[in-house]
Amino acid sequence: MKQELSDMLAEAKSDPPPLRYSVEDAVTAGRKRQRRLRAAWTGAGSVAAVVAVAAAIAVPQIVTDKRPTRTTPVAPAASQPAKQEPAPFAYPKDKFSGNIVGFKAGNLTVSDTVHVTPGYQVAIVVAPGHGTPVQDAAGTIHQMPNDVGQLVVYRQGVFAPAQAKKSGERVSVNGSTGYYQKPMVTKSPVKIPGKVFQTEAILTWEYDDNAWAVVTASAAAKVTKQQLIALAGKVTSGTPEPVKIGFKLGYVPKGFQLTAAGSSDSMLGFPLDGESYALLLKGNLPFRALTAPVQDPYVVNDKQLPLLQLAVYPHWWGKYEPKAGLPKTAPFCASESLCYRFTEDGKYEIELGGGGTVPDSELIKVLNSITFADPTDAGSWFDATDAVS
Amino acid sequence: MSDRDTEFRDFVTAQMEPLRGLAYLTCGDWQAAEDAVLTVLAKLYVKWRRVDNHASYARTAVVRAAIDETRRPWWRRENSQSHAMPDRPSPHDSTSAVDERLRIRDALQQLPARLRAVLTLRYLEGLSVQETAEALGCPEGTVKSYTSRGLDALRQVLGVEVFITKESRREARAV
């Protein structure tokens, strides 16, 4: 008697029991993992971190390179006199201007505005020490700031506080009403005995009538309620500055409009040196009734809006090399709807994702039209609204 | 819904069952196989844009995760009396399809997990020696050795001559 092995293997796995997990369970598990990693890794702003961190984790003993590779958070001099009664935060009227002024609160440091949308602006909260280092393809270790959370200041009428009121402990922030939610212990999205995840600590407060701000800190950072309240009490607004980015588009596909921009992408990690970002959507994304910053997917009426996501970052953060045989600056698509172009010196690259809704030929056309500013000189950057119109 | 979510859903819809089958053949337990697959899919969701070949990544990671499942302490405790591959059927069992399936499962269950993984990757998934070695993170020589040992073991357990397809045979010459 003879039996064919592949038939035997196919037979052995036939007649399986019904699946316990659905496609949606897989999506949910992925999203939860992503959120957990964001909290644990403190801001995987670029997709490269997902890959690079795993390598870095394997070599913690050799992480002795002290070269800072990310910008130092902006904070006022320690001698700056503190105001006794900070004025209410004055949100900019312009859709793409930011005005969070960086500051220190105890051992936490808050950056200037790094990300702006028509509905909110974001700054990054950094704790002492280093975040998880990243090893690039050449084996160089890059130290990362220990960003532990975000400060999100919402435009008046944009934020929906009901959930914060329901689940948070009522507190006072400079006399304004706030709600504190301690990190929650949650079950693992997958069945791993003994494994639990912790959410972030969240402080939500009403800085002006129907105008709310939220500061978060990862559970791992062990930031206390008092620390968060003290931090919130120091949030002040400065002169609105148009958000700037390190590139300019000569061609924008019809119907796309600027929806977010800054030196940090929508994952809201601490900006890399030279990093800048712009999100263009084909359609209007309503910024109302938000409970958190908007992230992919950008859905309106159950329909994903076509998108163009552009991000400039240092080449060490990236994954791909320029295509062999082509000019170094020639755009190329590494995979469907994910295309790149390098700067002349090859030290930086721009990534353009079309989300599968824009043909690669259009993405190449956009990349061919790009003018780079000097990524290392923010003074040469373009106003985002001008750069993508 | 994002492009990633759409692509990911399409991928999961198409691949969840095959991946579960792959994991099951490796670890011999449907529940553990599903857990391994969900764990891998959650990781893949995060890495979606950075992975060139999603199917290859998932296949490799699922096999490794399934092997890991068999290393858990509770596995050795519960495996023999759980929902794992069934007990060896009686020699008097009929040759019906169900009995045949149980007989093959039982034969596979008697092989170590890594050896099962080698046979599955090579002769069900169609991977080459080199690809199997990369997937399992072991030398090519180990893959060849495991292949040979696995085939021998199956022949002995099943009491039949186990042969492979023409396509597989080309690769098997390297064994």
Side-chain angles (χ1 to χ4, degrees), chain A residues 98-378:
Chain A
N99 64 340
I100 298 172
V101 179
F103 62 94
K104 287 185 75 72
N107 66 349
L108 299 174
T109 304
V110 178
S111 73
D112 289 340
T113 299
V114 297
H115 186 92
V116 177
T117 75
Y120 55 86
Q121 55 180 309
V122 183
I124 307 300
V125 180
V126 180
H130 291 294
T132 305
V134 172
Q135 184 179 41
D136 64 24
T140 304
I141 302 296
H142 299 265
Q143 293 290 358
M144 309 299 281
N146 189 21
D147 43 357
V148 297
Q150 293 99 28
L151 165 65
V152 186
V153 181
Y154 292 87
R155 188 183 292 277
Q156 191 174 45
V158 166
F159 186 78
Q163 184 60 40
K165 290 178 178 177
K166 182 181 174 185
S167 54
E169 171 194 348
R170 191 178 176 116
V171 296
S172 173
V173 176
N174 281 346
S176 299
T177 301
Y179 299 91
Y180 172 76
Q181 187 175 324
K182 67 181 180 182
M184 304 290 287
V185 176
T186 62
K187 287 183 179 178
S188 162
V190 294
K191 202 177 83 177
I192 305 173
K195 285 280 180 69
V196 294
F197 295 148
Q198 284 191 298
T199 59
E200 307 168 303
I202 304 171
L203 175 63
T204 306
W205 76 102
E206 190 173 23
Y207 66 85
D208 207 344
D209 289 344
N210 195 27
W212 294 79
V214 178
V215 62
T216 60
S218 70
K222 300 190 187 309
V223 176
T224 65
K225 177 173 72 175
Q226 287 70 29
Q227 282 180 292
L228 277 187
I229 291 173
L231 185 155
K234 289 189 165 186
V235 174
T236 55
S237 53
T239 303
E241 295 284 347
V243 61
K244 292 180 179 293
I245 55 178
F247 54 94
K248 184 176 183 179
L249 306 188
Y251 169 68
V252 178
K254 190 176 179 182
F256 283 84
Q257 56 186 316
L258 185 65
T259 306
S263 52
S264 177
D265 66 17
S266 58
M267 297 298 286
L268 307 178
F270 198 89
L272 301 161
D273 284 335
E275 181 180 0
S276 60
Y277 168 82
L279 167 68
L280 285 76
L281 294 179
K282 190 173 186 178
N284 285 312
L285 188 68
F287 286 91
R288 61 173 179 261
L290 299 185
T291 56
V294 180
Q295 290 184 326
D296 200 358
Y298 304 102
V299 176
V300 177
N301 296 328
D302 293 328
K303 190 176 178 184
Q304 162 74 32
L305 296 179
L307 59 87
L308 293 168
Q309 290 200 88
L310 299 113
V312 170
Y313 48 75
H315 177 46
W316 65 260
W317 185 253
K319 178 180 179 184
Y320 300 101
E321 297 297 330
K323 286 286 182 187
L326 292 177
K328 197 168 58 179
T329 57
F332 65 93
C333 295
S335 61
E336 185 185 354
S337 232
L338 196 59
C339 305
Y340 297 86
R341 181 179 160 189
F342 286 78
T343 55
E344 285 282 348
D345 62 8
K347 292 181 179 176
Y348 290 84
E349 61 194 78
I350 187 163
E351 179 182 276
L352 171 54
T357 57
V358 183
D360 284 359
S361 58
E362 280 286 274
L363 302 183
I364 292 294
K365 194 172 174 183
V366 171
L367 287 176
N368 266 321
S369 78
I370 279 177
T371 302
F372 285 105
D374 179 354
T376 64
D377 177 14

Side-chain angles (χ1 to χ4, degrees), chain A residues 1-27 29-31 33-34 37 47-48 50-51 54 189-193 296-299 302-304 307 309 313 317-320 334-338 340 351 353-356, chain B residues 1-10 12-13 16-18 20-22 24-25 30-32 34-35 38-39 41-47 49-52 69 72 74 85 97-98 100-101 103-105 108 116 119-121 123-125 151 154 158-165 168:
Chain A
M1 184 179 176
K2 294 182 179 180
Q3 287 192 301
E4 207 283 319
L5 181 55
S6 61
D7 289 345
M8 290 168 60
L9 294 169
E11 176 66 24
K13 72 183 180 77
S14 64
D15 193 29
L19 277 164
R20 288 181 300 144
Y21 301 125
S22 67
V23 172
E24 289 311 307
D25 288 332
V27 174
R31 287 177 175 164
R33 181 177 178 83
Q34 187 167 54
L37 292 175
V47 284
V50 174
V51 172
V190 294
K191 202 177 83 177
I192 305 173
D296 200 358
Y298 304 102
V299 176
D302 293 328
K303 190 176 178 184
Q304 162 74 32
L307 59 87
Q309 290 200 88
Y313 48 75
W317 185 253
K319 178 180 179 184
Y320 300 101
S335 61
E336 185 185 354
S337 232
L338 196 59
Y340 297 86
E351 179 182 276
Chain B
M1 190 164 51
S2 72
D3 55 312
R4 175 178 65 173
D5 282 13
T6 303
E7 293 168 5
F8 183 77
R9 281 190 172 91
D10 289 346
V12 173
T13 301
M16 194 176 232
E17 281 279 8
R20 182 175 68 147
L22 178 59
Y24 170 71
L25 287 177
W30 286 112
Q31 285 193 16
E34 287 183 21
D35 291 343
L38 193 67
T39 301
L41 290 175
K43 291 178 180 175
L44 179 59
Y45 179 89
V46 176
K47 297 182 175 182
R49 286 290 175 82
R50 311 301 289 182
V51 173
D52 288 328
E69 287 287 338
R72 296 179 190 278
W74 56 263
M85 286 183 178
V98 173
E100 178 65 7
R101 187 180 308 132
R103 197 171 71 93
I104 295 170
R105 286 178 179 175
L108 287 168
R116 282 201 301 270
L119 293 180
T120 304
L121 287 173
Y123 297 112
L124 189 68
E125 298 294 325
L151 288 171
L154 282 180
L158 291 169
V160 299
E161 183 180 343
V162 178
F163 70 96
I164 51 183
T165 60
S168 301

